[in-house]
Each structure stands twice: as C-alpha cells, then as structure tokens.
Amino acid sequence: MKSELRKQVLQEMKTLPQEQKQAIDQALTGRLLHHPFYQEAKVIATYLSFPHEFQTQELIEQALKDGKKVLIPKTYPKGRMDFVVYDPQQLVKTSFGLLEPQGDLEVVDASQIDLIHVPGLAFKMEGYRIGYGGGYYDRYLEHFTGHTLSTVYRYQIQDFIPENHDIPVQEVLIDEGNL
C-alpha cells in the first residue's frame, strides 16, 4: 500500500511541467517565508531537493540573507541522521545523485533547531507523511520539540492510515494555485 502510494505520487511529481512546477515552488517558498514558524526561527533545517521535489535553493538563499543559520541533513546507515551547517563547499554527489555534506561537518543539536522543513512524498492534511522509506525523519522528530512544516503539491495530499511510529509535521503548506 505504502509502496504503491509512493510510486504513484513520485510519478505525478516527475510529470509536473517544469514551468508550472517553478511557479508552484515560488508560491510555496513565499508562503513559507511569511510563516510565523520561519519568521521567528533563528536556526532552520531544510533539505537539498531532488529535481522532482519542491526546490529548496531559494529558501536556503533567502534564509541566509535573513541572517538565519541553515542546516541540512547528513544521513548514516541504520536510519540515523544529523543536521549540519549548510556549506556549499562541502557538498558531494552521492550514489543516489543527491548532494550530501561531506568532510569536517558542524553538527547542530536538535535542541538548537527552531524549525525543520520536512520532505516527504504523500501527506495527510493532519501532517502525517510518507517519506522515501528510510525512517530518518520519524526517528529524528520523535524527540524534536521545535516547529515542523512541509511544503506540498496538491496531489501529494493522499488518504492513508498512519502507522503508530509516524510523527506528523505541525503544518502542511499546500500549493493553492490554479491547477
């Protein structure tokens, strides 16, 4: 069930026309930047996006301009993840074709993070999400006390039954543009 849903949403994400996607990404970035969670945060964790995902580059650049400390995930085997200070000089392409921080990284403790911008494939309005299946975020968010939100394309909102280890994000910002 979950794997079917993952496949279906991924397919839709990959077939969204580029111009339309850019417009939605811009609108969602704007909404995120105006959100109180963002405005009050000094330390923000986000992710480096796959081409089919919401593009985080503009958010990262704006957050740096706004004087915020920007963090990105560093993953390890067995579903462990840290957030480290974003430094474009330390990014290396992984076997998945995703950029990941490498080298002497500055890890920031979860207690220091004000806002985590959480990726995912399928979401419920209540904030439950289906990710890529690694469980990194569910494990990390289990003890996280700061704010969480996700930026979501409309067709990522799906109906599914959350599992008991699923940790919802506090807020889901959905593309409200005209489809």
Side-chain angles (χ1 to χ4, degrees), residues 5-6 34 39 67 77 80 84 87 99 103 105 111 113 118 120 128 131 133 141 143 149 154 170-171 176-177:
L5 202 51
R6 273 194 191 104
H34 287 101
Q39 300 202 324
R80 193 168 76 78
V84 302
D87 175 357
L99 288 171
L105 305 170
S111 61
I113 304 174
V118 181
Y128 286 99
L141 295 177
H143 306 292
L149 64 72
R154 193 173 310 179
Q170 290 170 313
E171 194 142 343
E176 289 168 343

Side-chain angles (χ1 to χ4, degrees), residues 122-133:
F123 290 82
K124 285 175 77 82
M125 291 300 295
E126 303 80 28
Y128 286 99
R129 49 180 281 284
I130 292 178
Y132 291 90

Side-chain angles (χ1 to χ4, degrees), residues 1-155:
M1 165 71 193
K2 255 188 184 179
S3 61
E4 278 309 298
L5 202 51
R6 273 194 191 104
K7 263 205 283 253
Q8 177 199 329
V9 173
L10 203 51
Q11 193 47 45
E12 293 214 40
M13 289 173 88
K14 287 180 173 170
T15 52
L16 187 62
Q18 201 49 44
E19 274 174 38
Q20 196 182 345
K21 183 179 186 310
Q22 280 168 344
I24 296 172
D25 284 354
Q26 254 174 337
L28 283 172
T29 301
R31 291 185 54 208
L32 203 166
L33 296 174
H34 287 101
H35 197 285
F37 286 178
Y38 173 85
Q39 300 202 324
E40 291 156 18
K42 291 184 177 61
V43 181
I44 292 183
T46 185
Y47 54 94
L48 300 173
S49 1
F50 282 113
H52 63 268
E53 288 180 313
F54 168 80
Q55 293 301 297
T56 55
Q57 197 53 44
E58 196 184 328
L59 165 65
I60 291 172
E61 286 166 18
Q62 191 55 52
L64 293 171
K65 280 191 197 127
D66 291 340
K68 300 183 191 286
K69 190 176 215 175
V70 177
L71 313 177
I72 54 171
K74 167 74 180 163
T75 56
Y76 302 93
K78 298 197 174 70
R80 193 168 76 78
M81 175 173 80
D82 279 332
F83 281 104
V84 302
V85 175
Y86 172 75
D87 175 357
Q89 303 303 310
Q90 292 183 316
L91 300 179
V92 178
K93 261 210 163 88
T94 66
S95 53
F96 295 115
L98 196 59
L99 288 171
E100 196 172 83
Q102 301 282 342
D104 189 13
L105 305 170
E106 186 187 335
V107 174
V108 176
D109 189 73
S111 61
Q112 305 298 304
I113 304 174
D114 301 311
L115 170 63
I116 300 181
H117 174 229
V118 181
L121 285 171
F123 290 82
K124 285 175 77 82
M125 291 300 295
E126 303 80 28
Y128 286 99
R129 49 180 281 284
I130 292 178
Y132 291 90
Y136 295 102
Y137 280 88
D138 284 326
R139 280 192 198 89
Y140 197 93
L141 295 177
E142 202 178 344
H143 306 292
F144 179 67
T145 54
H147 289 304
T148 52
L149 64 72
S150 296
T151 42
V152 176
Y153 302 134
R154 193 173 310 179
Y155 51 76

